[in-house]
Amino acid sequence: MIEEVRYNNKILSPQERAEFCKMADATIKDFSDSIQGLQECMKEIKSCEESEFNKVFRIIIEVGRFIGYSFCDCVVLTKYFIITANPYEKSFFRGKLQVQLNESFKKLYGFKEKDQRESYSARLAEVMPMFPGFRAEYFEIMSDLKLIAMCDSWWKDVRNIEVHIDVNELYKYRNEIVNESKVAMEAYRLIDFFNRLNSLMARMNRACINFMIRHLKVE
């Protein structure tokens, strides 16, 4: 279940920032490696004859690549937001992180009905009947995403200001006092969804591979 965003205005020490940077670097490497692996899998799938199994596997890979890029980009932006001490850079990375969060949520689940029909969550829904053991977990994540979509625009205004470079509004936004703790904890709210989905899809991917291995043995 989703929880209310909580933050304590904590200011990280230099050591804590260094530790966060180290953890972020390891996470970025793991996910960038995963993206490369999924890309290789996609090449293999495209070279095979079309089948129902390949269709399912392709959707899982497509959703997995999106989660990998979105998660990795959020971590990169959070890393530089946390480690910079320059006020302009701090404000800049806050804006770019919030744009990334807005776009990622829109693609992952969507704010409007049309977006939701074309979202990666909807793509994943197409194959969930093939994975009855994972459906309850999937629907729980979707229920939480629906609740957030109803009450949170994920910085739509910030997205418009930053992307369209609305200079007057950008000046006001970039000169606001940045509460590092608040920004980080709000970002974590979406990053946690990526963690949950990544864990779910890793197990679904393993189930696909196990099925393929059993099928090959029978053949």
Side-chain angles (χ1 to χ4, degrees):
M1 290 294 293
I2 58 173
E3 297 181 1
E4 182 182 353
V5 175
R6 298 178 182 178
Y7 55 95
N8 56 11
N9 302 315
K10 178 179 174 60
I11 298 176
L12 299 178
S13 68
Q15 180 180 352
E16 288 173 322
R17 292 179 196 280
E19 289 173 353
F20 177 84
C21 183
K22 183 178 180 180
M23 179 183 67
D25 285 342
T27 301
I28 293 164
K29 183 181 186 308
D30 287 344
F31 271 80
S32 59
D33 289 346
S34 174
I35 291 168
Q36 291 299 324
L38 288 171
Q39 185 63 31
E40 292 302 315
C41 287
M42 182 62 80
K43 290 180 182 177
E44 291 293 327
I45 290 293
K46 287 182 175 179
S47 67
C48 296
E49 292 183 8
E50 188 62 30
S51 68
E52 190 63 28
F53 173 80
N54 285 347
K55 177 184 176 182
V56 171
F57 210 10
R58 185 167 60 249
I59 289 174
I60 290 176
I61 292 170
E62 288 172 354
V63 177
R65 287 191 303 180
F66 165 76
I67 291 173
Y69 275 117
S70 296
F71 182 94
C72 218
D73 288 358
C74 284
V75 173
V76 169
L77 290 166
T78 303
K79 168 190 167 182
Y80 285 103
F81 168 76
I82 291 294
I83 65 175
T84 185
N86 181 287
Y88 185 87
E89 289 184 354
K90 181 76 73 177
S91 181
F92 172 84
F93 283 116
R94 175 187 62 168
K96 300 312 176 188
L97 173 60
Q98 290 172 345
V99 169
Q100 176 68 20
L101 291 166
N102 177 274
E103 290 294 324
S104 293
F105 187 88
K106 185 164 64 177
K107 291 288 188 180
L108 174 63
Y109 185 80
F111 299 104
K112 300 179 181 179
E113 186 176 342
K114 179 178 182 296
D115 295 332
Q116 291 168 0
R117 290 197 302 268
E118 298 173 357
S119 69
Y120 280 95
S121 293
R123 288 285 284 157
L124 191 56
E126 295 177 31
V127 303
M128 290 312 299
M130 307 290 291
F131 300 89
F134 300 106
R135 291 181 69 190
E137 185 176 355
Y138 166 80
F139 285 122
E140 182 179 346
I141 295 172
M142 293 304 109
S143 176
D144 287 347
L145 287 169
K146 181 179 180 180
L147 287 175
I148 287 183
M150 292 168 60
C151 64
D152 196 330
S153 65
W154 288 98
W155 303 285
K156 180 181 178 181
D157 292 342
V158 174
R159 183 256 181 213
N160 291 339
I161 291 168
E162 291 278 351
V163 172
H164 299 296
I165 315 180
D166 184 337
V167 178
N168 291 328
E169 293 300 319
L170 191 61
Y171 176 82
K172 288 189 287 186
Y173 179 68
R174 292 279 183 88
N175 283 277
E176 289 179 358
I177 295 174
V178 177
N179 185 322
E180 187 176 271
S181 174
K182 181 176 185 293
V183 173
M185 293 311 298
E186 287 176 340
Y188 175 76
R189 197 180 199 190
L190 182 55
I191 289 172
D192 184 53
F193 278 114
F194 286 133
N195 271 325
R196 291 168 64 184
L197 276 166
N198 184 62
S199 174
L200 171 64
M201 296 196 63
R203 283 175 278 126
M204 289 174 62
N205 188 49
R206 174 51 57 185
C208 274
I209 292 172
N210 289 340
F211 173 84
M212 183 169 60
I213 290 172
R214 290 195 300 271
H215 180 73
L216 288 173
K217 284 182 177 179
V218 170
E219 291 293 325

